[in-house]
Amino acid sequence: MNQMDIVDPLAKVDARIAGDANLNSRIEDACQQACAAIAPAWPLDRSIAVNPHWGRIGMPLRTVAARLAVLGDVHVYPSRSDFLQAWSERRITTEDLHDALAQLDIPGTAGFDHAYCLNALTEVHGVQTLPLLIDLLDDGPGRAHRLPWRQAVTHQVSQTCAAYFDQYQADWQPQRQQGLYAFWRDTLQHDHGIGILMGLPNLDRQLKHLPATPELAEHWVLNKLGLPPEVWSDYLEALLLTINGWASWCAYLQWIANQEGRHVSHLRELLAIRLAWGAILLDGDHAPNTGKALSELQKSWSIASQVFVLAEESFRVEEVWQLALEAGYQRHLARQLCNNNISVGEIAAPQVQAAFCIDVRSEPLRRALESVDSEIQTIGFAGFFGLPIAYTPMATSARRPQLPGLLAPALEVGDTLVASPKFEGLLPELRKVQAARQQHFSIVDQWQAGTRWPAAGFSYVEAFGWAYASRFGKWLRPKPEARSRDDLLGLPSRISQFCRPSLCDIDIATRVELAARILNAMGLQDRFAPLVVLVGHGSQSRNNPHASALDCGACCGQSGEVNVRVLMDMLNTSEVRRGLLGKEIRIPENTLFVAALHNTTTDELEWFDQDLLPDFAKPRLKKLTRDFDAALDMVRRERVPKIGVSPQLQSKDLLMLLQRRASDGARLRPEWGLAGNAAFIIAPRRLTRGLNLAGRSFLHDYDQTQDIDGSLLELLMTAPMLVTHWINWQYHASRCEPGYYGSGNKVLHNIVGGHIGVFEGNGGDLRIGLSSQSLHDGRGWIHEPLRLTVVIAAPKELIEAVISKHAIVWHLLENGWLHLWQFEESAIWRYHSSQWQLLPVDVS
């Protein structure tokens, strides 16, 4: 093969692009289908838990497991050795295995019984993987003395993406106007090191003939590969799996663009880059066995459909054991719910109503608070508290969403200066405060810029290294510190205490409509307690790139502070309350809304804006503070054995120890986050009040008698249920396939692009998902990969109406991505294959 063989096909393909509409359509469909399989991955500062298989939920779980095993040796289920260990430790019992086999009722599989499934765990589970061209070409001389081509290509593409997408880390920014593919093409032609790494000293000669456009690359390579069109999308998906991290980042940019009505082509161009590498390596000078490799590739992929079928059949064993692993937990949960419904009633006249995020870390605190004072009613509600907002801190352009990633912000929140009555008239003008903060930021930027110039490294350390001595000392001997509030950086403390988030440019009618919708969703149309506490949650850690992932698994990685403060202000406003009367919602004059935040690392409560409350509320709030303190101490003692701390410590000592951990820059596991999550219960609190759900259940209050038409249930099944599913599957995937869907070892992390993500080490693909330290305590796994069990207390017909109306919900249920139970009069019905099955429950 000579250079003309490379140039001539390009010209031919260029002509075919213009003239063959059918070919164009088939290539377009294949590329779109491959890209659609990639789920988005949010950046570090806006972490959202995502099901990395979200683009594949239209297929049964077992089918997805088989496809990913064949396309990239990716594990979707736990390994057979994991199941064997669970069996030997009796986390799976004989009863669990029989239940799983009975529930699946696998047709046409004589002999597929208890003994067969158990024996299969000790056998090697081999699945044939379909090769990529780069793997078949990579067996030339000198292979032992160079990087494998797949690894080298992934590294080169990854470094290119890191430079292209970075906007905050490097002071010298590249030109991006022509797009990712053009940037890569230009970069590669000036990168002489990649040829050495790949053992291809003449690589630069062929790079001159790279396809000029992504479209040309797609057509040229698919034409050269000679694969049947039926497998194009599968082959392209396999290519994207080799750079899944950056593909997921591009999918995120596409997700955000779609929400904003824009179009971006990053993911498609990334696919073209990965395809173009195949074209480069097809040159005969670099790959003497091109003909043999192409022939083997075509032969392997010609039987792809049979390979997929055989793989899917082999995963029936994993399907059974996954269900058996879940059966024990589900049996215990069912028993708890059925027994509890018999004895627990409603609170007649609550003195306090405390609304918490549905996050699993709220469940122990709700349970403890109710045990401290029986007149406290707790409420579970989505953590963004129904506010579709984006927040921009004062005098900055750092706008950020404060709601689940499934939704786009509709309202804006900014900061205003509001003094309490005794300070009225003493605050400076807002514009002067804004100017002072901007000046502070400019000084900090100039200081930090001195560390980033190429020649500044050694001189900076010599001149100013002493400035880091205090920080280093804090790491050696961490002291308890309060949770940092970055939104207030650069503001004097005498001013920051009066800096409060508030809705921007929203008229009273809109506020009333929003307030009514939120209160109805919370079930607070009447019977308001004198104090209604809105409890958001946030985390606290140091030197932790993934800190935002511990704040909230849904709300763009933000704490709930802004949301609860904005809602408190709105619901305490007299004009809003008067407007609510027209919505048949009457808030008594003596009812006050209070905002607070649960620090889930230290189990402390932080109160906001108390200085704005009237004097008559202070005695009530003082008593409530004591109740919360007692409840939080109970939660700490329940939680600390999981982090290797004795619960027998004195209350003060225990709190200080947790505060020191939260302030320790060397702490790998500041808290366990949402590890262990396994259920989502949509029901009145009376069904779960008094139950110890072990911090494994999301809890959303729902009273069907207040939702006759099922509109609220539809909202809950299409928003919070999807969010909890995403969280559940992020943990599941990070646990079962850490190579693709976990971010690896925190100790080796290097931040990419300021906030984009992390490398594990200095290169390779962008790592997404949870770090190993979020799932493993150094001795064993802390998270068990169970699919989410959703329990809904509502009539079957209302649930079925939502399922039939929303394809996403139907796919999740019919394809086995989560479990659905219906709770009714101490009985539980399981939804399976579009049918309801009565679940046998031992209530003795």
Side-chain angles (χ1 to χ4, degrees), residues 699-760:
L699 299 176
H700 200 299
D701 276 59
Y702 173 72
D703 184 353
Q704 192 275 318
T705 63
Q706 303 297 317
D707 181 40
I708 303 302
D709 63 354
S711 58
L712 177 55
L713 178 62
E714 180 179 4
L715 177 64
L716 297 181
M717 291 181 66
T718 55
M721 190 175 84
L722 300 190
V723 168
T724 55
H725 159 77
W726 274 18
I727 294 170
N728 174 259
W729 263 97
Q730 185 193 51
Y731 276 83
H732 192 289
S734 297
R735 164 68 176 83
C736 295
E737 185 47 274
Y740 281 85
Y741 304 125
S743 58
N745 188 343
K746 272 187 175 184
V747 177
L748 304 177
H749 283 175
N750 282 297
I751 297 175
V752 180
H755 72 282
I756 292 174
V758 296
F759 286 152
E760 188 180 18

Side-chain angles (χ1 to χ4, degrees), residues 816-836:
W817 294 95
L818 53 74
H819 301 281
L820 176 63
W821 291 356
Q822 186 254 358
F823 190 95
E824 184 178 40
E825 297 180 357
S826 301
I828 294 177
W829 294 80
R830 176 172 56 208
Y831 186 86
H832 180 67
S833 299
S834 300
Q835 301 293 325
W836 293 103

Side-chain angles (χ1 to χ4, degrees), residues 85 119 133 185 242 295 345 410 424 457 475 516 616 625 651 673 794 810 821 823:
Q85 182 177 355
N119 290 334
L133 176 64
R185 187 171 180 268
T242 67
S295 176
E424 199 74 49
W475 282 21
F616 73 80
T625 300
S651 297
W810 188 91
W821 291 356
F823 190 95

Side-chain angles (χ1 to χ4, degrees), residues 384-385 387-391 402 411-415 500-504 506 511 514 518 534 560-573 593 595 608-609:
F384 72 114
F385 285 86
L387 292 170
I389 59 175
Y391 167 59
Q402 293 273 156
L411 303 173
E412 299 296 326
V413 169
D415 287 327
R500 312 179 202 267
S502 61
L503 288 166
C504 302
I506 306 297
R511 292 173 190 254
L514 180 61
I518 292 171
L534 309 170
E561 175 183 344
V562 170
N563 299 67
V564 294
R565 295 179 73 184
V566 168
L567 187 56
M568 167 191 169
D569 174 62
M570 184 166 62
L571 295 177
N572 282 336
T573 302
F593 289 82
F608 302 114
D609 304 317

Side-chain angles (χ1 to χ4, degrees), residues 290-351:
T290 294
K292 178 183 176 182
L294 279 174
S295 176
E296 187 175 343
L297 183 78
Q298 292 161 4
K299 180 180 178 181
S300 297
W301 282 85
S302 68
I303 59 170
S305 59
Q306 297 97 300
V307 173
F308 286 132
V309 170
L310 290 174
E312 184 171 351
E313 186 64 28
S314 74
F315 273 102
R316 287 193 181 277
V317 172
E318 279 74 9
E319 183 179 34
V320 170
W321 282 104
Q322 174 74 74
L323 195 57
L325 184 65
E326 294 153 351
Y329 169 78
Q330 290 180 331
R331 188 179 299 109
H332 176 67
L333 177 65
R335 187 182 301 119
Q336 283 185 297
L337 292 173
C338 289
N339 283 333
N340 202 56
N341 186 50
I342 298 171
S343 58
V344 178
E346 300 280 2
I347 301 175
Q351 294 303 299

Side-chain angles (χ1 to χ4, degrees), residues 435-445 489-491:
R437 193 180 198 197
Q438 289 172 340
Q439 183 179 15
H440 168 83
F441 287 148
S442 67
I443 295 172
V444 171
D445 286 343
L489 290 177
L491 290 174

Side-chain angles (χ1 to χ4, degrees), residues 163-185:
Y164 181 82
F165 290 113
D166 170 32
Q167 294 183 8
Y168 301 103
Q169 200 162 24
D171 284 331
W172 296 352
Q173 295 291 321
Q175 297 296 317
R176 304 182 177 91
Q177 290 84 349
Q178 293 182 333
L180 177 60
Y181 180 87
F183 176 77
W184 166 78
R185 187 171 180 268

